[in-house]
Amino acid sequence: MERLEKQFYETPTLELAEKLLGKIFVRILPGNICLKGRIVETEAYCGQHDEASHAWRGKTARNQMMFSAPGTMYVYFTYGSHYMLNIVSEPENSAGAVLIRGMEPVEGLQFMQEQRGTAIFTNLMSGPGKLARALALDSSCNGKNLFGEEFYLEDAPPLPKELSGTSCRIGISRSRELPWRKFILNNPHVSKGKVT
DNA sequence: AGCGTGATCTTT
DNA sequence: AAGATCACGCTG
């Protein structure tokens, strides 16, 4: 299918979190290694109006990519061991991003298995830290956009309404009650994280 | 249910 | 300078 263009990302964060479900994230590594994953779980982080968002208290060295152009990747390191992948939404200088929490592996399975140290299909990308590792994402990816040769998203048919699920976000302490997590119902690659 | 791990942010 | 927190994952 077609690659998604800039206009796709120029939308409010909460909408983007829903629109991303089902789309295919692609990374082309040197050596022509092609990695693909179908997005099955997302969370919206709505910039300065959202107490759980990194951008809540304004721009800092870490969160500055949340203020950049839609379609930029915001990749950060946390818990001493994990990278998290976000896709930036909202116009430039207005913060917002969608955390990618789960993907279904589509291509590059062998590479992903090596990265993750497991061959169990549903354990390769079923969590934000897991999928970042499967795709070998790190801080060198922070700030890159999805319109180049290395990273892009492929379109996919819209998700049928009956497959669309919503819940509170996972693993946060502030603004826990907001139903800003979106996922594909009954998909085994949705993370098993628990609501705190 | 408990803990490793280290950058970042807040408080002294 | 010290302490708390953290958009997690693994073990047990």
Side-chain angles (χ1 to χ4, degrees):
Chain A
M1 293 231 17
E2 294 278 318
R3 290 189 193 193
L4 292 167
E5 316 240 6
K6 210 172 72 190
Q7 305 90 275
F8 175 82
Y9 306 90
E10 293 171 345
T11 181
T13 308
L14 203 46
E15 277 181 32
L16 184 63
E18 295 195 44
K19 286 170 64 181
L20 283 169
L21 291 178
K23 307 302 188 223
I24 311 290
F25 182 91
V26 183
R27 177 175 199 184
I28 311 291
L29 283 169
N32 219 20
I33 299 170
C34 178
L35 306 176
K36 294 191 183 187
R38 177 171 176 252
I39 298 173
V40 301
E41 179 183 359
T42 63
E43 278 177 3
Y45 285 88
C46 298
Q48 304 197 311
H49 311 288
D50 175 7
E51 293 192 8
S53 160
H54 289 171
W56 176 43
R57 296 180 202 252
K59 192 186 276 192
T60 67
R62 174 175 71 160
N63 69 25
Q64 58 175 320
M65 292 311 168
M66 286 188 74
F67 293 79
S68 67
T72 303
M73 296 195 293
Y74 169 42
V75 179
Y76 69 91
F77 183 72
T78 190
Y79 286 108
S81 41
H82 306 293
Y83 291 95
M84 303 282 130
L85 168 64
N86 295 253
I87 296 176
V88 174
S89 58
E90 308 285 340
E92 195 146 10
N93 297 319
S94 173
V98 175
L99 172 69
I100 309 301
R101 290 195 53 92
M103 289 189 196
E104 174 178 327
V106 170
E107 193 172 330
L109 274 286
Q110 186 179 341
F111 182 92
M112 294 176 185
Q113 289 171 5
E114 286 167 10
Q115 285 291 308
R116 292 276 301 119
T118 179
I120 298 173
F121 188 45
T122 54
N123 197 22
L124 293 175
M125 305 183 94
S126 52
K130 296 179 188 179
L131 68 89
R133 181 59 192 262
L135 293 165
L137 300 175
D138 59 31
S139 45
S140 71
C141 307
N142 188 35
K144 293 194 176 176
N145 68 40
L146 294 168
F147 316 118
E149 290 310 304
E150 185 180 6
F151 295 103
Y152 56 91
L153 254 57
E154 281 179 4
D155 202 1
L159 190 71
K161 257 220 166 99
E162 64 270 21
L163 290 183
S164 170
T166 295
S167 81
C168 300
R169 293 175 291 181
I170 289 177
I172 58 172
S173 55
R174 293 187 291 262
S175 301
R176 274 180 278 171
E177 68 288 355
L178 298 173
W180 286 358
R181 170 173 175 255
K182 307 287 171 186
F183 58 98
I184 299 181
L185 288 172
N186 300 320
N187 185 290
H189 301 88
V190 169
S191 74
K192 284 111 196 137
K194 288 181 69 174
V195 177
T196 52

